[in-house]
Amino acid sequence: MNIVVCVKQVPATTEVKMNKETNTIIREGIEAIINPFDTYAIEEGVRIKEQGGGKVTVISMGIPKVADLLRETIALGADEAVLLSDKAFAGADTLATAYTLSLGIKKMGPVDLIICGKQATDGDTAQVGPSLAAKLGIPHTTYVRKIEEIREGTIRCQRLTEDGYEVIEMPLPAVITVVKEINEPRIPSFKGLMKAKKAEIPVWTADEIAADESLIGLKGSPTWVVSTFVPQHNVNSEMIEGKPEEQAKILVDKLLSLQLPLSK
Amino acid sequence: MDYFFTEEQSMIKELAARIADEKIAPVALEYDEKGTFPHDIVTVLAQSDLCGVYIPEEYGGLGGGILEMAIVVEELSRACGGIALAFAATGLGSFPILLFGNEEQKKKYLPDIASGQKLAAFGLTEANAGSDAAGIQTTATLDGDDYVLNGTKQWITNGGEADTYTVMVCTDRSRGPLGFTALIVEKGMPGFSFGKKENKMGIRASVTTELVFENCRVPKENILGREGMGFAVAMKTLDRTRPGVAAQAVGIAQGAFDYAIKYSRERVQFGQAISSFQIIQHMLADMAIQIEAARALVYQTCRHIDSGAKNISKESAMCKVFASDMAMKVTTDAVQVLGGSGYMKEYPVEKMMRDAKITQIYEGTNQIQRNIIALELIKESKKKQ
Ligand SMILES: Cc1cc2nc3c(=O)[nH]c(=O)nc-3n(C[C@H](O)[C@H](O)[C@H](O)COP(=O)(O)OP(=O)(O)OC[C@H]3O[C@@H](n4cnc5c(N)ncnc54)[C@H](O)[C@@H]3O)c2cc1C
């Protein structure tokens, strides 16, 4: 099994601060960590490898310093890590990021499974995993909370939904994005830390992955962030009391009074 | 304070600290309450490679010494002195093999201990042989290719959980301590079972049981050194592991101090944080002074032993006495800083006070340690004349 895990560097804080003028995330002075959701992706990749054999390669697009974080993933059990880094990648939105990652993954040769965290804690879009699958032309499942089985070129997993889970089976190669319910990431081993210290992290530039200049970085990013805000969820709820029949009547009357458009 | 650790020692400390903070601290009070063995934490330790810090690389360990062992014990004990003991008592059970085992024995037993697949234990104490270790009555008689063991060891840490036991027995009653022999006994050997499990004041996540030998057959190749060397095996082992008890004491005290100072900044009385009262400040300062002095003595003793020094009994006893008395005082003061909260089980310091007490008792009570120290000092003084 060739497994690729995509990781992103994010600021080590849950309260992301925005630059009000440029609408971009302020990264200065904040410790950088591996996106917490990606740590579950790494752990799952390493567990699959430990059970069935294979290789786990971690990939990230980011600034040169991200190599330090990639080294950490070696301590956690990844076999190799690759950094896609180039000035030309700067300012990438989710589309350009997915394109860039897809080229990096293609350069690695045949891959069976790509694992991403469900979303990054800074941008919170959850788009890169599915976009990456689209760019590679392979199926994907998001919010995976458990891999039930990997067998004969297929994967069957449980996808977390609001009120339970769905069981989805798809052919490999495929992309899954994972939620924190899937496992408990390990603490690195001492030997892993030693290996990580010595690990070489290759850096691939735009040229080396043969990227189309118009599809990477700011140029390849059609997304314009007009403004950012935390949405307010103002739900005015009202409890309806009485016997079930009375409650039903009150509820129907209320709904009718709202004159909601009804579809046939 | 910078203790000039090597890069590897610093990495070991950081890794052990992460395990303590992320994995042990959240479950420490629960294990204390239930008094059950922390199998899940042992698995985490095994995965971390830390179980083998003091075992040579050729047997799968990390090749460190007593200092590395102490660093791990101290960090783990900050979160729970009881859970840390699963690791520390394995060290106690392994040192007889490290010091006196032959190549085959080392190859057979040490790799599984280094990887954390197996735990070890050390069986010396009996009902009538505590401080007076020379009073042991468990016997072993040679019958063909086996020793046949009879007797009961008492209060053995990791009893039942460990797979590898180094046990002191009498092979020749007529010779007193010179008739003692150390044997490696494996869990599952015929005639070897576990008796009473103790219900303890502290270190409740550690398991303490009897080892019961009823015509237990142990192959004679499991002898450590030669017949008659058992007492020396035990004493030389304890000389090397007492700094581990001292490190446990330092860790417990540090955990209590950390909690107490944080609490003192948050607790408001008379309109101000109690940390603004000078009496509290001075208590905190004294606690920190004592902890740092003990830590410095422990590390230096470890380095002294790791350097290959010959005379280590006095130093090893000194650091154990100093650190354990310190831990008892510091944890008691930590309870005082917290006031009534300190007395409540919802807060971790009363447990730390209970846990600290054992460090004054086991691996030789502090009274016995003072005996050892005084006798050495008198001997040294005589030599000078
Ligand atoms: C939780 C726990 C875990 C343990 N784990 C192990 C283990 O893994 N393996 C093992 O072999 N043992 C173990 N022990 C045993 C431990 O080492 C002994 O309890 C300890 O050595 C003291 O012996 P004792 O309890 O019989 O006390 P005693 O010897 O009965 O001592 C009672 C009191 O008399 C004092 N005293 C005794 N003799 C003298 C003297 N000559 N001069 C001055 N004062 C003296 C002692 O200091 C003490 O205060 C453990 C004990 C406990 C409580």
Side-chain angles (χ1 to χ4, degrees):
Chain A
M1 242 347 234
N2 271 334
I3 303 160
V4 171
V5 179
C6 302
V7 307
K8 183 186 186 187
Q9 165 182 301
V10 297
T13 165
T14 45
E15 285 281 305
V16 174
K17 296 204 177 59
M18 301 294 291
N19 179 331
K20 280 266 161 355
E21 271 152 35
T22 59
N23 279 317
T24 52
I25 296 164
I26 298 173
R27 295 179 193 275
E28 288 77 39
I30 298 170
E31 190 203 347
I33 55 167
I34 298 171
N35 172 38
F37 291 112
D38 299 345
T39 61
Y40 301 95
I42 298 165
E43 177 67 29
E44 199 59 21
V46 172
R47 286 188 190 190
I48 296 169
K49 176 188 80 167
E50 283 171 349
Q51 279 159 22
K55 183 176 152 190
V56 176
T57 310
V58 176
I59 188 167
S60 184
M61 183 191 82
I63 56 173
K65 252 194 90 60
V66 175
D68 293 341
L69 292 182
L70 288 180
R71 212 163 273 124
E72 258 176 53
T73 71
I74 305 271
L76 293 167
D79 299 280
E80 283 172 20
V82 175
L83 176 62
L84 307 177
S85 193
D86 195 315
K87 287 222 166 69
F89 296 148
D93 67 1
T94 53
L95 191 70
T97 302
Y99 170 71
T100 310
L101 287 173
S102 75
L103 295 183
I105 291 169
K106 278 183 194 156
K107 189 177 153 81
M108 288 176 189
V111 168
D112 301 294
L113 180 64
I114 298 165
I115 313 178
C116 305
K118 72 160 178 157
Q119 68 197 55
T121 53
D122 52 359
D124 276 330
T125 70
Q127 288 172 358
V128 170
S131 313
L132 175 62
K135 292 280 176 205
L136 291 169
I138 59 177
H140 77 268
T141 298
T142 52
Y143 303 114
V144 171
R145 61 159 223 183
K146 187 182 172 153
I147 294 177
E148 288 189 351
E149 198 179 28
I150 298 176
R151 195 168 55 97
E152 288 161 20
T154 63
I155 182 168
R156 192 170 71 239
C157 33
Q158 295 181 2
R159 178 180 187 273
L160 188 71
T161 64
E162 258 162 46
D163 43 15
Y165 67 91
E166 301 166 346
V167 178
I168 294 179
E169 188 171 297
M170 54 183 180
L172 293 174
V175 176
I176 59 171
T177 76
V178 299
V179 292
K180 66 179 189 327
E181 286 77 5
I182 195 162
N183 58 43
E184 201 192 326
R186 71 193 62 192
I187 284 180
S189 69
F190 184 83
K191 287 175 189 164
L193 288 168
M194 292 303 278
K195 194 174 156 212
K197 264 177 50 166
K198 292 186 207 126
E200 291 278 337
I201 309 293
V203 179
W204 294 348
T205 61
D207 277 351
E208 280 166 291
I209 56 171
D212 177 339
E213 230 180 89
S214 65
L215 298 178
I216 56 171
L218 205 54
K219 266 194 218 161
S221 299
T223 312
W224 278 102
V225 180
V226 180
S227 80
T228 54
F229 60 94
V230 178
Q232 300 275 332
H233 294 284
N234 282 333
V235 182
N236 294 322
S237 46
E238 181 191 339
M239 298 306 284
I240 299 168
E241 317 239 324
K243 286 192 193 125
E245 309 87 73
E246 291 166 11
Q247 286 185 32
K249 186 173 178 335
I250 298 169
L251 179 63
V252 169
D253 287 346
K254 279 202 181 283
L255 287 172
L256 287 174
S257 75
L258 290 174
Q259 297 188 318
L260 298 170
L262 295 178
S263 62
K264 290 253 166 88
Chain B
M1 181 109 67
D2 187 347
Y3 286 103
F4 300 100
F5 285 154
T6 63
E7 198 177 350
E8 286 188 15
Q9 287 163 346
S10 300
M11 281 167 67
I12 287 168
K13 186 177 161 76
E14 255 172 56
L15 187 52
R18 262 192 80 175
I19 294 173
D21 296 333
E22 291 176 30
K23 303 286 178 185
I24 300 180
V27 297
L29 295 191
E30 195 186 324
Y31 274 114
D32 174 66
E33 187 76 29
K34 289 194 188 142
T36 50
F37 191 77
H39 291 110
D40 52 342
I41 307 291
V42 171
T43 307
V44 171
L45 284 171
Q47 284 177 350
S48 74
D49 301 327
L50 292 181
C51 292
V53 276
Y54 52 88
I55 293 175
E57 282 171 280
E58 56 199 297
Y59 308 114
L62 298 182
I66 306 287
L67 181 55
E68 282 77 3
M69 178 167 84
I71 290 170
V72 175
V73 175
E74 180 190 340
E75 283 306 321
L76 301 182
S77 298
R78 226 175 10 88
C80 180
I83 293 178
L85 194 54
F87 167 84
T90 294
L92 177 62
S94 307
F95 262 91
I97 304 176
L98 279 163
L99 294 174
F100 293 91
N102 58 35
E103 194 54 31
E104 270 153 49
Q105 290 166 336
K106 287 181 181 173
K107 272 199 190 126
K108 181 168 179 192
Y109 293 104
L110 295 179
D112 283 344
I113 294 172
S115 69
Q117 295 307 304
K118 289 183 177 170
L119 298 178
F122 177 82
L124 174 64
T125 305
E126 296 179 9
N128 295 320
S131 299
D132 183 12
I136 61 168
Q137 285 161 0
T138 297
T139 56
T141 36
L142 204 54
D143 177 31
D145 287 338
D146 295 335
Y147 280 107
V148 180
L149 274 61
N150 279 290
T152 301
K153 293 288 170 184
Q154 165 178 282
W155 301 343
I156 306 307
T157 303
N158 284 350
E161 297 295 340
D163 283 282
T164 310
Y165 296 80
T166 45
V167 181
M168 310 307 135
V169 295
C170 292
T171 41
D172 185 351
R173 269 181 186 270
S174 67
R175 302 190 65 209
L178 291 177
F180 294 176
T181 299
L183 296 173
I184 305 170
V185 185
E186 288 172 36
K187 184 175 174 174
M189 282 181 167
F192 178 24
S193 62
F194 304 102
K196 187 175 166 223
K197 179 177 178 267
E198 302 296 340
N199 185 9
K200 303 188 295 294
M201 169 201 244
I203 53 161
R204 291 173 51 80
S206 171
V207 60
T208 318
T209 67
E210 285 176 337
L211 310 182
V212 182
F213 303 103
E214 290 164 303
N215 290 319
C216 167
R217 298 191 80 88
V218 176
K220 88 177 170 203
E221 68 253 25
N222 278 22
I223 189 168
L224 284 164
R226 292 187 315 279
E227 269 192 22
M229 279 175 66
F231 201 69
V233 170
M235 294 306 130
K236 286 207 170 3
T237 293
L238 291 167
D239 280 346
R240 280 161 182 82
T241 54
R242 280 188 190 115
V245 178
Q248 182 188 26
V250 172
I252 294 171
Q254 184 68 53
F257 173 81
D258 290 345
Y259 199 89
I261 191 162
K262 183 166 156 281
Y263 182 91
S264 75
R265 291 192 293 112
E266 286 160 8
R267 172 70 175 168
V268 174
Q269 286 293 277
F270 301 99
Q272 48 198 314
I274 60 166
S275 62
S276 65
F277 303 129
Q278 197 174 47
I279 188 88
I280 299 285
Q281 292 175 357
H282 284 192
M283 273 174 90
L284 292 169
D286 282 333
M287 289 158 81
I289 295 165
Q290 295 295 305
I291 293 169
E292 208 57 64
R295 179 178 289 128
L297 182 58
V298 174
Y299 291 169
Q300 198 52 30
T301 305
C302 293
R303 287 181 162 136
H304 174 66
I305 298 172
D306 286 337
S307 74
K310 283 231 169 61
N311 297 325
I312 57 173
S313 300
K314 183 188 70 185
E315 291 75 7
S316 159
M318 280 180 168
C319 85
K320 193 266 194 190
V321 168
F322 188 79
S324 58
D325 286 352
M326 174 284 290
M328 203 59 240
K329 169 133 185 41
V330 166
T331 53
T332 308
D333 286 348
V335 171
Q336 196 67 22
V337 168
L338 267 74
S341 299
Y343 201 72
M344 300 301 163
K345 284 192 184 275
E346 276 158 61
Y347 293 84
V349 291
E350 65 82 29
K351 166 188 179 291
M352 291 161 170
M353 182 174 161
R354 286 185 282 113
D355 287 353
K357 185 66 205 171
I358 191 63
T359 60
Q360 294 179 307
I361 298 172
Y362 61 16
E363 297 202 22
T365 65
N366 282 7
Q367 287 73 25
I368 295 297
Q369 302 309 301
R370 287 183 166 92
N371 286 351
I372 295 174
I373 296 163
L375 288 176
E376 283 294 324
L377 290 170
I378 292 165
K379 251 197 326 204
E380 286 169 17
S381 169
K382 268 191 198 160
K383 266 195 203 156
K384 279 184 201 152
Q385 280 178 347

